[in-house]
Amino acid sequence: MLGSLRIRLLVAMLVVSGVAVGVAGFLFARTAQREFQRFSVAGETTDLERLAVALESRCRERGDWEGAPSVLAQLGAVSGRHLILVGQDHRTVTVWPEELTRANVSVQPDHTIAIRLEEDGIVEEAVLVNAPHASVRSGDGAIVGTLYAAPSPDRPGQAFADSLVRPFAILVLAILATVLAATFFLSRRVLGPVETLTVAVRQMEQGDLTQRVEAHSGDEIGELARAFNAMAETIARDEQLRRDLVNDVAHELRTPLTNIRCQVEAIQDGLVAADANALASLHEEVMLLNSLIDDLRDLSLAEAGRLSLNRQSVSIDEAIGSVVAAFGPRAAAGGLSLEVRVAADLPTIEADPVRLGQVLRNLLENAAAHTPPGGCIEVTAGAQDGGVAITVRDSGAGIAHEHLSRVFERFYRTDPSRSRTTGGAGLGLAIVKQLVEAHGGKVAVESEPGQGAAFTVTLPGSQ
């Protein structure tokens, strides 16, 4: 439970909020107490000035200052203040109330009052810096003393600060409750989609590849949800391709193996003689299996990026000439004309001549499989972007637009009947794509139904 991100977020927010509120409360209390003291000092000074005037008036009425203590007592009793009257020599003249007479009272020129009282072994001390004070003047206006307000035991400043504790505590609790509620709400908004993603991932882990999550927001969480959906789509597509691959491989292997089994059983039953024709038929099926296995191996290595290439400088003119010469009889047997146009002064390329020949043969085989007798296959080559572009164009039926984006997939054939006479094993173009990309090139197809198809291979030139 404590490991939950939501709980940790709540605790962290409460701790941060508590520290912030505590620091703010401490600073507020200090400031309030200081301002209260400043206000109190200003108020007491004003009051002392009135008391000083009253003291002056009473003493003048009496005709001397000998009665100052009794007048001071009367003023102190009426005002409720602790008063100290100090002469010009800063020696204490008199104090009120009476308990201050038992204390050691000292007044400094900087208006600092220190009071020390010791009773029954207990010492109490009070110091007031810059104590409130007012000058006491004689009839001719001369300053004859100073009237001070002594430190009071009720400490009104502290009492004022203490009075703020309860409302401030209520305020702190309200703030923390608000922070807790807001954090809980935000955590649900933020972590709710994450929890949904976690559930979806767990379901995918159990094999349910249909899991998707809603991605409405444009923030990082929404981006994460969209990335998850894209990943789920890719995984589901790859899983479907894997299943299709297994099915296609099983289908492609089943046909020649069935033919071999039937012929062997016919020979065993004496229905077919084990002559040269039977052996030639068996050999043809075995070679078909061998070719299919080789194609699968090449395709697997190329897709894994582990296909080894014996790169060397290759002349495009010579490479095309060699492949076309070998393919000539195959084209002639199918009633196809073969035209070759190679531009002069083509740059050489760094390529594996064997793999490059395999690319050209596969393209020619694909063109021948889709071109009816009397048709034409055209091979052209020219310079492009510092490299070369080789195009194999046929005059066949062409490729429908819905098939163009999938012709380079493994085992994909535009003929739903899966007949080898019209589509082969469905690996030739997939191998072409992987081999061309392994050389750092690209392959593209252009076609219109009824107007044939053109496959263009672009390869970079030698550096």
Side-chain angles (χ1 to χ4, degrees):
M1 185 66 177
L2 292 179
S4 169
L5 182 58
R6 176 173 294 168
I7 297 300
R8 287 186 288 172
L9 180 61
L10 289 174
V11 172
M13 290 298 294
L14 286 177
V15 170
V16 172
S17 302
V19 171
V21 171
V23 171
F26 174 76
L27 295 177
F28 173 76
R30 290 289 301 273
T31 302
Q33 187 174 12
R34 184 172 59 251
E35 291 300 315
F36 180 81
Q37 289 177 349
R38 184 177 64 83
F39 175 79
S40 298
V41 167
E44 289 182 359
T45 301
T46 302
D47 290 343
L48 284 175
E49 290 177 350
R50 291 198 295 268
L51 293 176
V53 172
L55 179 62
E56 296 169 0
S57 177
R58 297 282 184 87
C59 288
R60 283 198 296 271
E61 290 176 359
R62 298 172 64 98
D64 56 41
W65 290 92
E66 296 297 329
S70 61
V71 174
L72 187 65
Q74 294 175 4
L75 294 176
V78 173
S79 65
R81 295 183 179 279
H82 292 194
L83 303 177
I84 301 174
L85 181 61
V86 179
Q88 284 295 86
D89 57 356
H90 296 290
R91 296 176 62 104
T92 301
V93 174
T94 184
V95 296
W96 190 91
E98 293 183 358
E99 53 262 27
L100 288 182
T101 60
R102 300 192 301 272
N104 181 14
V105 179
S106 62
V107 181
Q108 304 298 324
D110 61 355
H111 306 298
T112 297
I113 299 176
I115 300 176
R116 187 174 187 276
L117 178 62
E118 182 175 355
E119 289 184 345
D120 300 330
I122 300 176
V123 178
E124 295 182 2
E125 293 182 335
V127 177
L128 183 60
V129 179
N130 193 23
H133 59 278
S135 298
V136 179
R137 301 177 183 274
S138 63
D140 58 2
I143 298 176
V144 296
T146 305
L147 182 64
Y148 289 92
S152 177
D154 58 0
R155 302 177 65 192
Q158 183 63 41
F160 174 76
D162 292 342
S163 68
L164 298 177
V165 171
R166 180 181 176 83
F168 185 77
I170 296 176
L171 177 63
V172 168
L173 292 177
I175 292 175
L176 293 180
T178 303
V179 170
L180 183 63
T183 304
F184 183 77
F185 174 75
L186 291 177
S187 67
R188 291 196 62 182
R189 290 291 302 273
V190 174
L191 299 180
V194 176
E195 293 173 350
T196 302
L197 277 172
T198 302
V199 173
V201 170
R202 296 299 185 193
Q203 293 295 325
M204 290 190 66
E205 184 181 11
Q206 300 299 321
D208 183 5
L209 302 183
T210 63
Q211 291 293 316
R212 302 294 184 272
V213 295
E214 296 183 359
H216 299 307
S217 64
D219 54 14
E220 289 81 357
I221 298 297
E223 191 65 28
L224 176 61
R226 285 185 284 273
F228 170 82
N229 290 337
M231 179 195 68
E233 291 285 351
T234 301
I235 293 176
R237 183 173 62 253
D238 290 346
E239 177 63 17
Q240 186 60 44
L241 290 175
R242 184 190 66 81
R243 293 175 181 174
D244 292 344
L245 174 62
V246 173
N247 293 333
D248 290 335
V249 170
H251 176 85
E252 295 299 331
L253 294 177
R254 184 182 297 113
T255 301
L257 285 175
T258 299
N259 293 337
I260 292 174
R261 187 191 68 184
C262 291
Q263 293 187 46
V264 170
E265 290 177 352
I267 292 174
Q268 289 175 337
D269 294 340
L271 301 177
V272 177
D275 54 12
N277 290 333
L279 293 177
S281 178
L282 289 172
H283 183 265
E284 181 180 356
E285 297 294 340
V286 170
M287 293 304 295
L288 179 61
L289 280 174
N290 186 73
S291 176
L292 178 60
I293 292 172
D294 287 343
D295 286 346
L296 286 171
R297 178 179 178 276
D298 290 343
L299 185 59
S300 176
L301 290 175
E303 289 180 342
R306 295 187 298 168
L307 184 66
S308 61
L309 298 176
N310 181 22
R311 294 179 180 270
Q312 52 187 281
S313 295
V314 176
S315 170
I316 294 299
D317 190 6
E318 295 178 359
I320 293 177
S322 175
V323 173
V324 169
F327 188 76
R330 163 79 168 81
L336 305 175
S337 61
L338 191 59
E339 298 180 3
V340 179
R341 294 197 304 273
V342 180
D345 301 326
L346 289 179
T348 59
I349 62 172
E350 291 293 327
D352 185 329
V354 175
R355 297 300 183 182
L356 180 59
Q358 185 178 1
V359 168
L360 295 175
R361 283 193 299 274
N362 285 358
L363 291 177
L364 290 172
E365 288 287 352
N366 180 74
H370 294 86
T371 305
C376 175
I377 298 176
E378 183 182 79
V379 181
T380 60
Q384 180 174 315
D385 298 331
V388 296
I390 305 171
T391 300
V392 177
R393 187 184 306 274
D394 63 65
S395 59
I399 305 172
H401 291 164
E402 63 267 21
H403 297 302
L404 284 177
S405 62
R406 301 190 61 187
V407 294
F408 295 107
E409 293 181 8
R410 296 170 297 186
F411 294 107
Y412 185 78
R413 289 196 292 263
T414 59
D415 177 21
S417 67
R418 305 181 64 86
S419 171
R420 282 198 175 84
T421 61
T422 59
L427 292 176
L429 293 179
I431 292 175
V432 167
K433 182 177 184 293
Q434 294 298 328
L435 291 179
V436 170
E437 291 180 352
H439 282 84
K442 298 179 180 179
V443 59
V445 59
E446 295 179 356
S447 179
E448 290 292 337
Q451 300 181 17
F455 288 84
T456 301
V457 173
T458 304
L459 297 170
S462 301
Q463 300 297 322

